[in-house]
Amino acid sequence: MKGLNKWSVAALAAALWLNGVSAMAASVDVNKASRAELESVKGLGPALSKRILAERDQHGAFKSAQDLSQRVSGLGEKKLKRLQKGGLVVPTLKVSEPARPKGPDAATPRQRVGTPSHRPAAAGGSGASR
């Protein structure tokens, strides 16, 4: 540290700070980004960002990279991979499953209470005695 003066320390700190800022700005979530944020991704211009936003506004969030490429014209698999390398993030949305019962009897189906049983009628008639 003997050879470092206050200017070199300041320059080093500024370089590290700028590197951190650019790394933070590099990830752009396709489901949350504004037009300007989308256009900050290398290779994503105004026309494509407009189509992405229109599709997202009309039909909701993109569930996967495949969903994005199918819903937005001009966005094939190759271009999407290049955009992802440039910082575009397409989160995978999980579809929640219905709650399942828990506990020792969870695997056993429960019998409905209060419903008539569906037993076959006794052979030989209506069941009424003469």
Side-chain angles (χ1 to χ4, degrees), residues 32-93:
K32 297 176 184 174
S34 67
R35 186 172 181 170
E37 290 169 327
L38 287 172
E39 291 175 15
S40 73
V41 175
K42 182 180 178 185
L44 205 158
L48 184 54
S49 68
K50 186 177 177 181
R51 289 195 304 270
I52 290 171
L53 291 175
E55 181 63 29
R56 187 179 77 191
D57 291 343
Q58 280 186 325
H59 302 286
F62 299 103
K63 295 172 183 63
S64 65
Q66 182 182 11
D67 182 41
L68 175 63
S69 67
Q70 287 176 347
R71 288 170 46 189
V72 177
S73 66
L75 189 54
E77 188 178 321
K78 287 182 183 179
K79 177 141 185 134
L80 182 57
K81 287 190 185 224
R82 281 195 308 268
L83 293 175
Q84 287 176 311
K85 285 182 181 178
L88 186 69
V89 176
V90 186
T92 303
L93 300 180

Side-chain angles (χ1 to χ4, degrees), residues 85-130:
K85 285 182 181 178
L88 186 69
V89 176
V90 186
T92 303
L93 300 180
K94 295 180 182 179
V95 178
S96 61
E97 293 184 21
R100 296 189 179 184
K102 296 178 182 176
D105 297 333
T108 308
R110 295 190 179 214
Q111 216 173 10
R112 292 185 182 175
V113 178
T115 58
S117 63
H118 298 285
R119 294 185 187 148
S126 63
S129 51
R130 296 183 190 201

Side-chain angles (χ1 to χ4, degrees), residues 13-29:
L16 291 173
W17 180 80
L18 286 173
N19 188 28
V21 168
S22 66
M24 287 188 299
S27 296
V28 177
D29 185 336

